Amino acid sequence: MIYELRTYWAAPGKTEALFDRFRNLTLGLFERHQIEVIGFWTPDPATEESGTLIYLLRFESSEAKRQAWAAFQHDPVWQAGKAATEVNGKLASKIISLELQPTDFSPLK
């Protein structure tokens, strides 16, 4: 198993719109494309360094992750939904993705 840690910085004034897109569109598509969500978090307090939304995903392998994200990005429902939610500008000003490998002593394998 591998994990992907993703951190999003919402564009100014777009935090709720970003969260709504995850609630109403993204989560269903993650399930459709075998992108397993471990959890979502918001930093407390949120700062410029911390980002606005942090989430952790799990995949069988790096190749499975690559395939799942490619299918997600090419999904017409995602493309239309993303376009519709960004009619007034992008919802995220910055996104960082890190692939994480569990250590031999990690409870998550």
Side-chain angles (χ1 to χ4, degrees):
M1 289 290 186
I2 60 110
Y3 295 84
E4 182 179 10
L5 181 68
R6 296 180 65 90
T7 305
Y8 284 60
W9 282 257
K14 304 281 186 170
T15 299
E16 282 308 311
L18 178 66
F19 288 5
D20 284 345
R21 183 165 71 189
F22 273 93
R23 285 183 196 107
N24 300 320
L25 175 66
T26 308
L27 285 173
L29 291 174
F30 278 179
E31 187 175 328
R32 179 189 306 185
H33 295 291
Q34 290 79 49
I35 298 174
E36 182 184 356
V37 176
I38 301 301
F40 286 90
W41 297 268
T42 55
D44 185 20
T47 67
E48 273 190 43
E49 293 79 28
S50 69
T52 310
L53 177 67
I54 301 164
Y55 63 99
L56 185 64
L57 305 171
R58 179 170 38 205
F59 298 91
E60 289 293 323
S61 65
S62 294
E63 180 59 21
K65 180 185 95 166
R66 188 197 64 71
Q67 289 176 1
W69 276 117
F72 177 89
Q73 293 293 327
H74 290 97
D75 188 311
V77 173
W78 168 246
Q79 292 173 349
K82 183 175 189 278
T85 60
E86 293 188 343
V87 122
N88 294 315
K90 290 190 173 221
L91 301 186
S93 61
K94 178 179 174 182
I95 301 170
I96 293 179
S97 169
L98 296 172
E99 186 171 302
L100 306 172
Q101 302 289 333
T103 62
D104 63 348
F105 52 88
S106 174
L108 290 175
K109 300 284 183 194

